[in-house]
Amino acid sequence: MAARVVVAGASLGGLRAAEQLRAVGWTGPITAVGDEPHMPYNRPPLSKRVLAGTAPFASLALTPRANTADVEWRLGTRVTGARLRDRVVVLDDGEELDFDGLVVATGLRARRLRCPGPSGPGSGRHTVRTLADIRALRAELALPGVRLVVTGAGFIGCEVAATAVGLGVAEVTVVDVEPLPMLRPLGEFLARALLRRHEERGVRFALGTGVAGFEGDGRVTGVVLSDGRVLPADVVVESVGSVANTEWLAGNGLDLSDGVLTDEHLRARRGADGAATAGGGAFRVGSEAGGRAFGVASEAGGGSARGASHEAGAPPYGTTADAGCLPYVVAVGDIARFPNARYDGVPRRVEHWSIPGDTARHAAKVLTAQLCSQPVDFAPFAPLPSFWSDQYDFRLQSFGSPELGHDDVRLLDGEADGDMLVGYHRDGRLVGVVGLGGPAAAAAAARHRSLLLERPALSPQGAAS
Amino acid sequence: MKVAVDMNKCQDHGQCVFAAPDVFRLDDSGRLAYLSDPGDAFRADVEEAADVCPMQAIRIEA
Ligand SMILES: Cc1cc2nc3c(=O)[nH]c(=O)nc-3n(C[C@H](O)[C@H](O)[C@H](O)COP(=O)(O)OP(=O)(O)OC[C@H]3O[C@@H](n4cnc5c(N)ncnc54)[C@H](O)[C@@H]3O)c2cc1C
Ligand code: SF4
């Protein structure tokens, strides 16, 4: 039988990987395994137009390229384990699929708050990651007089709050341990402006406090904050970050401390103690409160990762790295923790919609070269991150890595109450821009994109090279 | 090659403009304008544009 590639995870990253494998000339069989019952669909509208009811569920379907016509989709099927040395993945029905190349695209799941009180279906506690999540949440928000508490003021939490206001939800309160919403990805200046915009539209905030528990018998009636206050609530959205779906890879000696650590070509790296750290990532993320949706992964994860890769004596990038990685296993999308040669070489997970496409393009080239015994002699992966967020009638549009430039933030154009263009600098150099406002603000951000693309890479110390 | 953008889906993200600047552009107010019948030479660019459109609004017809 011809060599086979198995793609684990059938969402944006899995689909793009299959398309790109075909685009670079991989002709062997491709089997994509996904535990959701749907063909790959688009997540960003979930917290925006789909929750608002202005876009039907059906509009979410991603359109696969024609070149994926012969890809086998095993949907509603979970990968439960892998023996990478034997090149086998195990499915939930017990079947074992052998592969020659493996694409890891199992993404993230919403992190749950672990604290006392009602939980489970019917408790009124929701997450926002899948179509099923939104169906359930929409039904409950439609009830009259609903009081919503959103725990976690990251992008997803703030989008849900904005959408809920638009739906006419009676009371919307957002809780976060940080002093401002979206603080980590955007920094204080924009976070303050966004807080004001949300408050003007009627959202209340409880900031600088965590969640201690939930009141209610079977169903939530209130959220107990760690400062002792109780917020009455009929519906709770938990948007407190995410956990990488790496459990099925445990026991293979990979570094799974926060997603799948890769080399500069997205090949899975060996870890000092892969099996032992497999559950650790989830745990460490779980011990932090504070909503951080599609931002760059937490410093906590990044920091320890840095330690781990240095212990292993691995340079951040620039070598063939075959000794430290599994050349036939690549990771794409939200789950990949990769060094970005454009910046400082520190491996990070990046939860932006553009990343599954970018990683898939590079990883497909790498995997195909490996499987065809050709050299992997192209430049290291160096995407320009970009994300957007829609809240009310305004959009945030970001290019580059604002979180690397929080210490030097400048208003490049506009004013605090209107459209704004904000620049983030490191060592005097522009490393990210964010436009806030209408289409013109997004377009202004886009005009800086080429500038961000052209700049030479930051050296590992962060000094301009 | 025919290109169609579903303007009910398009939300002026402009990602298509980066991928295929000869086919898509944003006008001064940030709204999308595009060529509906670009030459076949642009096929790869337009496929790329369709991929990167966050709203999946771009369709390539034949
Ligand atoms: C509500 C929401 C709004 C967003 N909005 C924006 C936005 O405005 N802008 C932006 O830039 N980004 C946004 N994002 C982020 C963007 O959607 C993600 O970056 C993107 O979905 C990542 O795709 P992925 O394929 O890597 O992972 P995922 O989409 O998480 O896909 C992983 C898939 O693998 C499946 N899976 C997991 N484990 C297994 C297993 N063991 N076996 C089989 N299948 C498995 C999962 O069920 C899932 O289908 C948003 C995300 C969400 C959830
Ligand atoms: S990328 Fe998509 S949404 Fe954005 S302007 Fe182009 S067609 Fe419209």
Side-chain angles (χ1 to χ4, degrees):
Chain A
M1 204 180 93
R4 165 159 68 180
V5 173
V6 166
V7 178
S11 180
L12 183 60
L15 172 62
R16 291 289 183 257
E19 292 173 336
Q20 291 298 323
L21 283 163
R22 286 286 181 257
V24 297
W26 175 255
T27 54
I30 300 176
T31 302
V33 186
D35 62 357
E36 291 186 81
H38 316 282
M39 278 296 281
Y41 63 90
N42 205 19
R43 290 187 204 283
L46 289 175
S47 48
K48 311 175 182 79
R49 302 220 285 181
V50 174
L51 183 60
T54 53
F57 292 121
S59 69
L60 292 181
L62 295 166
T63 320
R65 284 193 185 186
N67 66 10
T68 58
D70 61 351
V71 170
E72 182 195 8
W73 297 93
R74 303 278 296 260
L75 302 175
T77 305
R78 167 172 282 272
V79 182
T80 54
R83 295 193 309 277
L84 298 182
R85 276 179 52 144
D86 304 336
R87 302 210 192 183
V88 164
V89 293
V90 185
L91 308 184
D92 55 3
D93 58 7
E95 192 188 338
E96 302 200 340
L97 281 183
D98 31 296
F99 62 82
D100 298 275
L102 176 66
V103 179
V104 177
T106 44
L108 313 173
R109 61 179 177 273
R111 187 167 80 74
R112 301 305 308 236
L113 288 167
R114 285 187 216 299
C115 49
S119 64
S123 65
R125 291 172 57 181
H126 295 263
T127 55
V128 178
R129 182 87 201 168
T130 67
L131 201 46
D133 291 343
I134 297 300
R135 284 201 168 113
L137 176 60
R138 226 185 108 63
E140 292 207 338
L141 288 184
L143 304 173
V146 160
R147 294 161 303 177
L148 168 69
V149 172
V150 177
T151 62
F155 289 112
I156 290 180
C158 289
E159 286 183 357
V160 167
T163 305
V165 168
L167 280 170
V169 170
E171 278 179 35
V172 181
T173 310
V174 181
V175 182
D176 202 304
V177 285
E178 300 277 1
L180 290 169
M182 298 168 274
L183 180 62
R184 263 173 199 256
L186 297 178
E188 191 181 330
F189 180 74
L190 262 185
R192 242 176 237 298
L194 287 161
L195 173 66
R196 201 163 48 240
R197 289 179 194 215
H198 276 276
E199 284 179 337
E200 279 165 11
R201 288 161 174 90
V203 176
R204 289 181 227 174
F205 283 83
L207 297 168
T209 179
V211 173
F214 297 99
E215 286 188 341
D217 182 15
R219 204 182 152 90
V220 167
T221 56
V223 179
V224 185
L225 303 182
S226 41
D227 64 11
R229 279 180 291 166
V230 178
L231 303 173
D234 308 296
V235 178
V236 173
V237 166
E238 293 172 42
S239 46
V240 286
S242 40
V243 179
N245 294 317
T246 52
E247 288 79 358
W248 63 277
L249 284 165
N252 286 288
L254 301 181
D255 183 334
L256 305 176
S257 52
D258 178 26
V260 174
L261 179 67
T262 76
D263 73 354
E264 76 281 13
H265 287 304
L266 299 164
R267 296 173 292 200
R269 289 194 56 128
R270 296 197 174 88
D273 188 0
T277 56
F283 229 79
R284 180 166 48 245
V285 177
S287 65
E288 292 172 8
R292 210 163 309 115
F294 44 94
V296 168
S298 69
E299 273 310 315
S304 65
R306 211 164 349 194
S309 60
H310 280 186
E311 269 153 42
Y317 56 85
T319 65
T320 55
D322 279 19
C325 73
L326 270 64
Y328 51 89
V329 179
V330 291
V332 303
D334 279 0
I335 201 171
R337 182 156 59 90
F338 59 87
N340 187 339
R342 182 177 299 284
Y343 300 113
D344 49 12
V346 175
R348 295 183 178 90
R349 271 191 317 103
V350 183
E351 301 176 33
H352 298 161
W353 190 90
S354 59
I355 290 296
D358 291 340
T359 48
R361 201 168 307 116
H362 195 92
K365 268 198 312 185
V366 170
L367 189 59
T368 302
Q370 301 273 181
L371 294 174
C372 300
S373 305
Q374 280 155 10
V376 176
D377 53 5
F378 23 87
F381 185 51
L384 182 73
S386 111
F387 75 84
W388 81 99
S389 173
D390 291 331
Q391 298 168 25
Y392 312 100
D393 53 350
F394 59 80
R395 169 169 300 163
L396 283 154
Q397 175 67 61
S398 164
F399 293 101
S401 282
E403 72 285 350
L404 296 181
H406 278 188
D407 296 336
D408 184 356
V409 177
R410 306 176 203 166
L411 182 64
L412 301 180
D413 199 3
E415 56 214 51
D417 293 328
D419 283 8
M420 283 198 258
L421 182 67
V422 179
Y424 297 76
H425 304 75
R426 181 148 152 186
D427 301 312
R429 253 188 57 190
L430 186 72
V431 289
V433 290
V434 178
L436 167 62
R447 281 195 286 278
H448 285 73
R449 183 176 174 271
S450 51
L451 199 65
L452 290 162
L453 269 176
E454 277 160 20
R455 293 304 187 86
L458 282 179
S459 76
Q461 290 74 35
S465 46
Chain B
M1 176 180 52
K2 292 264 192 293
V3 178
V5 177
D6 179 342
M7 295 312 275
N8 290 323
K9 281 191 174 179
C10 169
Q11 294 199 22
D12 307 304
H13 278 271
Q15 297 291 339
C16 53
V17 181
F18 305 131
D22 298 311
V23 179
F24 301 92
R25 68 182 174 84
L26 293 182
D27 66 19
D28 290 339
S29 59
R31 303 284 175 201
L32 179 71
Y34 66 101
L35 300 177
S36 56
D37 198 0
D40 232 27
F42 296 117
R43 182 173 290 275
D45 285 1
V46 173
E47 279 186 340
E48 169 80 18
D51 278 1
V52 299
C53 169
M55 297 296 114
Q56 297 288 287
I58 301 171
R59 274 182 198 280
I60 302 167
E61 292 159 2

